Amino acid sequence: MLKGHLKGWLLIFWKILGRPDQKAPETPWNIWLILGGRGSGKTRSGAEWVRAQVRGGAKHIALVAPSFNEAREVMLEGESGLLNLGYPRERPRYIASRHRLEWPNGAVGHVYSAEDPDGLRGAQFDAAWADEFCAWTYPEDTLSNLRLGLRLGEDPRLVITTTPKRTPSLLKLVTMKGVHISQSKTADNAKYLSPGFAALMEENYGGSPLGKQELDGEILSELPGALWTLQGISDRRVEAAPELDRIVIAIDPPTTSGPRADACGIVVAGRADDLIYVLEDASFHRASPADWADRAVALYHHYRADAIIAEVNQGGEMVEACLAQVDPNVPVLTRHTNRNKRSRAEPVAQAYRRGKVRHAGRFDALEAEMCLMGTDSLRHSPDRADALVWAVGELMVEKVEQAVARMRWV
């Protein structure tokens, strides 16, 4: 009895007990997407974040689940739910008839079901927690209405906790600007689960596609027509690249800047012998010419790269001029093509299938965009993937040219 009592009070000290992936990122974000395996502690992460918002002055919090029943069972009354966390004097009370939480300090939580997206119309909040996004009946409509309601306070933000599933909506979400992604595994939370559960699940499902999704919190994607799959990318992922013979920075600059402009795709890749390694996805939104030129040149110097590869289908001279203003000594190789993005990407995708390309780390937004290439679910400009194609394609061509040169020399 005493042991259980002490455990309950110790759980209050979240700053000490919470893992780094369970705590809000320090970098700027609008949506914090927590992808977690079963029992990985993602619900606790969402609930603790809501507690922090309430203590920080938030007054209207949206709580969205696949259904009202699941909201009550998991987000509210679950072991890591809002009704069971924190000092008793700080805990809210739940008014079931109104789907409403009321905290002692006057903050109010409004519970919604993703089965009824229109239920969010007209409401407004200064914080929101959405659970099990991949199980929502109407994910895109519900998320749109929820985000339109986040208009109170100085910095309204949204936390989404979910076990990832193979859905176009999740792939779109991870490519959106302002999204920070955390990942947690079932094994990370083993000490708070039944003895042997994590070990048994790992024994039965570890390494399988189901295990990667349900235990490791990875997104597995095999959409019809897709040029890439996350499984194929993940199978050849490495922690770090070896010493590289050549490194390039590829940039796919937007034609305009501003809130509605396309992202600026910037990808770093290198080659060692017969393999190509993707080193970084440095793409970002709201990129002015000065901003993307600064970032590309900084990456060039950081990686001691050999060249910057720039797509110049539109504004070719402007691209070169912007980079030269930052550093006139950086070699810039401009590339122009009349082929569409899919046709240009197919040889690179084939190189992935042949095992010639490795990702040195996780690049969630880039990889999700790659897995939308060629599908009907791709509704935006694939700027990250396009920059990747330029980088990897350049290294592929150079390798072929070197091989041809050697043959001629012989």
Side-chain angles (χ1 to χ4, degrees):
M1 182 69 179
L2 180 61
K3 181 179 179 181
H5 179 74
L6 288 174
K7 179 181 178 183
W9 281 97
L10 283 172
L11 287 174
I12 290 172
F13 300 103
W14 181 243
K15 290 184 178 179
I16 299 174
L17 297 174
R19 305 188 307 268
D21 61 89
Q22 291 181 296
K23 298 175 183 177
E26 297 180 358
T27 54
W29 56 275
N30 299 117
I31 297 177
W32 177 21
L33 175 61
I34 305 174
L35 302 175
R38 302 289 184 94
S40 62
K42 58 185 180 297
T43 301
R44 182 73 190 273
S45 303
E48 289 288 355
W49 182 80
V50 170
R51 281 188 61 214
Q53 302 313 297
V54 170
R55 296 182 70 179
K59 293 301 181 183
H60 295 277
I61 300 97
L63 304 167
V64 187
S67 68
F68 285 118
N69 182 62
E70 288 169 282
R72 184 166 183 169
E73 293 290 328
V74 178
M75 302 176 78
L76 306 185
E77 297 179 352
E79 184 177 351
S80 299
L82 290 166
L83 298 178
N84 293 316
L85 296 183
Y87 297 100
R89 66 176 180 272
E90 295 180 344
R91 295 178 185 178
R93 67 187 185 102
Y94 181 50
I95 305 172
S97 60
R98 302 181 63 187
H99 301 299
R100 177 184 174 102
L101 281 181
E102 294 183 349
W103 276 268
N105 69 354
V108 176
H110 308 270
V111 182
Y112 296 93
S113 167
E115 296 174 331
D116 179 23
D118 288 340
L120 285 154
R121 289 186 179 275
Q124 51 186 359
F125 320 100
D126 40 19
W129 172 25
D131 191 45
E132 292 301 348
F133 174 77
C134 291
W136 287 8
T137 305
Y138 304 104
E140 294 187 26
D141 289 343
T142 305
L143 181 61
S144 296
N145 287 339
L146 175 59
R147 296 194 71 191
L148 288 170
L150 281 167
R151 53 180 184 265
L152 296 180
E154 296 182 359
D155 187 20
R157 294 188 288 184
L158 165 65
V159 168
I160 299 176
T161 52
T162 189
T163 298
K165 293 185 179 179
R166 192 179 298 165
T167 66
S169 297
L170 181 61
L171 291 176
K172 292 179 185 178
L173 176 60
V174 301
T175 65
M176 292 169 59
K177 55 189 174 185
V179 176
H180 181 95
I181 302 170
S182 297
Q183 184 193 16
S184 56
K185 301 180 180 181
T186 301
D188 297 335
N189 207 41
K191 63 182 178 181
Y192 295 112
L193 303 174
S194 298
F197 171 80
L200 180 61
M201 292 299 100
E202 183 65 27
E203 180 180 346
N204 289 329
Y205 304 109
S208 69
L210 181 63
K212 290 180 180 294
Q213 174 178 286
E214 300 294 328
L215 301 181
D216 295 344
E218 294 188 11
I219 307 172
L220 304 181
S221 170
E222 294 181 9
L223 299 177
L227 295 181
W228 285 273
T229 68
L230 284 180
Q231 185 69 52
I233 297 170
S234 179
D235 286 345
R236 295 183 175 88
R237 193 186 311 281
V238 297
E239 292 185 3
E243 184 175 349
L244 299 170
D245 302 323
R246 184 167 173 79
I247 298 174
V248 298
I249 316 294
I251 179 169
D252 179 22
T255 56
T256 60
S257 60
R260 297 186 178 182
D262 293 335
C264 177
I266 304 179
V267 169
V268 185
R271 190 188 66 230
D273 298 325
D274 289 331
L275 295 179
I276 294 171
Y277 295 86
V278 178
L279 306 177
E280 184 175 345
D281 171 24
S283 308
F284 65 116
H285 290 269
R286 299 185 181 182
S288 69
D291 291 337
W292 54 251
D294 283 340
R295 181 168 296 193
V297 171
L299 288 166
Y300 169 85
H301 289 294
H302 174 75
Y303 283 96
R304 297 181 180 180
D306 296 277
I308 294 178
I309 313 299
E311 178 181 345
V312 294
N313 277 22
Q314 300 183 50
E317 293 183 0
M318 182 272 290
V319 173
E320 293 183 89
C322 289
L323 293 168
Q325 286 180 357
V326 179
D327 187 341
N329 296 316
V330 172
V332 179
L333 305 179
T334 58
R335 296 293 181 260
H336 185 279
T337 181
N338 294 322
R339 303 171 68 195
N340 61 41
K341 293 179 183 292
R342 180 189 172 99
S343 298
R344 195 163 62 245
E346 285 175 343
V348 173
Q350 178 63 23
Y352 273 79
R353 289 191 288 272
R354 293 172 53 224
K356 296 297 185 181
V357 186
R358 306 279 193 272
H359 284 199
R362 287 175 57 98
F363 312 112
D364 293 297
L366 168 63
E367 291 168 12
E369 193 169 87
M370 291 166 65
C371 294
L372 288 172
M373 286 284 286
T375 75
D376 293 336
S377 299
L378 183 62
R379 305 292 173 82
H380 64 276
S381 178
D383 307 289
R384 297 171 187 269
D386 209 31
L388 171 105
V389 167
W390 283 115
V392 175
E394 184 72 22
L395 295 170
M396 288 169 55
V397 170
E398 288 177 351
K399 187 64 178 177
V400 171
E401 289 176 345
Q402 288 181 4
V404 171
R406 286 196 296 270
M407 290 175 63
R408 288 176 178 172
W409 177 258
V410 170

